[in-house]
Amino acid sequence: MRPVRTVARTLLSAAFVINGARTLNNPEPFVERAARVTDPLAPTLERASPRIPTDTASLVRINAGVQLVGGLLLATGHFPRLAATALAGSLVPTTLAGHAFWEESDPQKKSQDQIHFVKNLGLVGGLLLAALDTEGKPGLRWRAGHRVRHSRKSMARAVRSARRDARIAKVSASTARMLPG
């Protein structure tokens, strides 16, 4: 299954690497459309930390950087679950800003935006699968439950052993009292 995962992750990440690099170098074509998402978000970012940039061009570049780095991490298999989660998160504002087909009046443009919107939903679905993929290893939930069950069994064994040892000690003590001595 390893080769299939490697190919699938590489194919899934290719669009993010290419578009992330392209947008990082030249964010201007995306700034106008991104403003519909970034402008309402700016006051929240300013309240969160005044050091976070709130201008649309910077936020477009940050999103592009997340897509570029996340795509490279996913393609190379480094932190694939974290990379897939970051890419899915970055795709939400990208899709809302770039493909708001419900706001389009031109039928051809509306159709194109709708196609890209649905395509991005499919990418999010693939990224969610990649984010949840444990590569056949048990997930955190299973490991935690297994550890709890193992601890309970170990504790039960220890209690049984202590009770047995106490019974043996009691029998030994009563036997020792019976012996002349």
Side-chain angles (χ1 to χ4, degrees), residues 165-181:
D165 291 347
R167 282 193 304 270
I168 291 171
K170 188 176 179 180
V171 168
S172 295
S174 65
T175 306
R177 275 186 256 129
M178 289 188 200
L179 294 175

Side-chain angles (χ1 to χ4, degrees), residues 1-56:
M1 193 66 166
R2 180 79 178 141
V4 173
R5 271 191 187 91
T6 302
V7 170
R9 286 177 181 162
T10 303
L11 293 173
L12 185 58
S13 67
F16 294 102
V17 172
I18 292 166
N19 290 329
R22 184 179 295 147
T23 304
L24 198 58
N25 287 330
N26 185 21
E28 285 74 30
F30 306 100
V31 169
E32 184 180 330
R33 290 189 101 180
R36 75 176 88 182
V37 173
T38 61
D39 289 350
L41 189 63
T44 305
L45 292 174
E46 285 174 356
R47 280 192 302 274
S49 173
R51 295 178 11 193
I52 297 174
T54 56
D55 64 291
T56 304

